[in-house]
Amino acid sequence: MTSWRRAAARQLSEVGHTFVFGLSDGRVIDGRRGGNSARFLNHACAPNCEAIETGNRVFIHAITDIERGKELFIDYGLAVDGEITDDIREQYACHCGAPACRQSMLGGSTPL
Ligand SMILES: [Zn+2]
């Protein structure tokens, strides 16, 4: 099992805000192909869900109690290829409002 944070989502810079899930073995799940319900998950620095990789699938697990009708969030922990420029920092700025907001949807080992 690999958490979303360790499995770092990767961004395809050529097509803007299309994301792929990076799996622990190097394969990816491309959000452009067929789509899936994960596209409804927004980013928060203090999320109420996390993505867990099990075999060939990624499951979204609640990590807090979530009331019916509340929005679901995960920490995107985005990784981008190449240099992290000011434009990229701006493009992926976070305004989630959490006390521990790190001001960015980038994460993992990506230098901010
Ligand atoms: Zn935030």
Side-chain angles (χ1 to χ4, degrees):
M1 236 187 304
T2 301
S3 76
W4 166 274
R5 287 178 191 85
R6 279 179 279 155
R10 303 189 69 81
Q11 177 246 1
L12 298 175
S13 57
E14 319 82 59
V15 291
H17 289 285
T18 297
F19 301 103
V20 296
F21 276 85
L23 302 179
S24 58
D25 64 3
R27 292 177 299 156
V28 298
I29 298 173
D30 187 339
R32 295 175 303 175
R33 298 177 61 110
N36 60 62
S37 55
R39 70 183 183 276
F40 298 115
L41 295 164
N42 282 317
H43 166 87
C45 295
N48 53 15
C49 297
E50 67 177 350
I52 301 291
E53 178 188 343
T54 303
N56 291 328
R57 307 188 76 175
V58 176
F59 295 90
I60 305 302
H61 290 254
I63 55 175
T64 64
D65 290 336
I66 303 169
E67 292 178 38
R68 179 184 301 222
K70 293 293 184 182
E71 189 168 359
L72 303 178
F73 297 99
I74 59 174
D75 183 341
Y76 284 178
L78 296 175
V80 297
D81 293 328
E83 182 184 353
I84 306 296
T85 63
D86 289 344
D87 283 348
I88 289 174
R89 283 188 190 88
E90 178 69 24
Q91 186 177 2
Y92 297 106
C94 181
H95 307 284
C96 72
C101 179
R102 62 178 187 271
Q103 313 296 311
S104 179
M105 291 184 275
L106 301 171
S109 58
T110 303
L112 297 178

